[in-house]
Amino acid sequence: MPCLDPMRTKTLETMEMGLPAVATSSSLRGIPKPLPEQMVEANDPQAFADALKNMIVEVRTGRLKDGDGASFRDQQLRQMDIAMAALLAPFTKSADG
């Protein structure tokens, strides 16, 4: 059975660590927006290359630091808990209720 909201492990790990990165919309599937400041979405080859070059300059000059990956992780866990509770709700109702 395919996953309803496929997410890319490498992208999630990068975001959870708060690292700067450039990603395509394909690798960001299922990840809610807005994206963290250190994550840039670029889909065509030239835009991806430009975003990567700009990010390297920003990191090397100190204008872009690692982000708060813990808050992204916590947000994802909260959303997963809400989704799981909604999916399990029909099975957890009391017999008399």
Side-chain angles (χ1 to χ4, degrees):
M1 176 178 192
C3 182
L4 296 177
D5 248 16
M7 294 185 190
R8 305 290 186 220
T9 303
K10 290 184 283 187
T11 304
L12 286 173
E13 288 173 346
T14 300
M15 295 171 94
E16 286 182 354
M17 294 188 315
L19 298 174
V22 179
T24 63
S25 58
S26 175
S27 67
L28 295 170
R29 278 187 313 211
I31 298 174
K33 303 223 169 126
L35 297 173
E37 177 185 355
Q38 69 276 10
M39 178 67 65
V40 174
E41 182 177 350
N43 290 301
D44 69 78
Q46 188 60 54
F48 194 95
D50 291 343
L52 194 54
K53 277 183 6 185
N54 291 338
M55 187 166 286
I56 290 168
V57 169
E58 294 290 307
V59 168
R60 287 187 176 172
T61 59
R63 291 189 298 253
L64 180 63
K65 307 274 187 205
D66 289 355
D68 181 10
S71 64
F72 173 80
R73 181 180 180 277
D74 292 344
Q75 174 192 15
Q76 293 302 302
L77 289 174
R78 280 191 304 276
Q79 289 176 345
M80 186 172 57
D81 287 344
I82 291 167
M84 289 301 291
L87 286 171
L88 295 174
F91 305 105
T92 57
K93 291 184 179 177
S94 67
D96 54 64

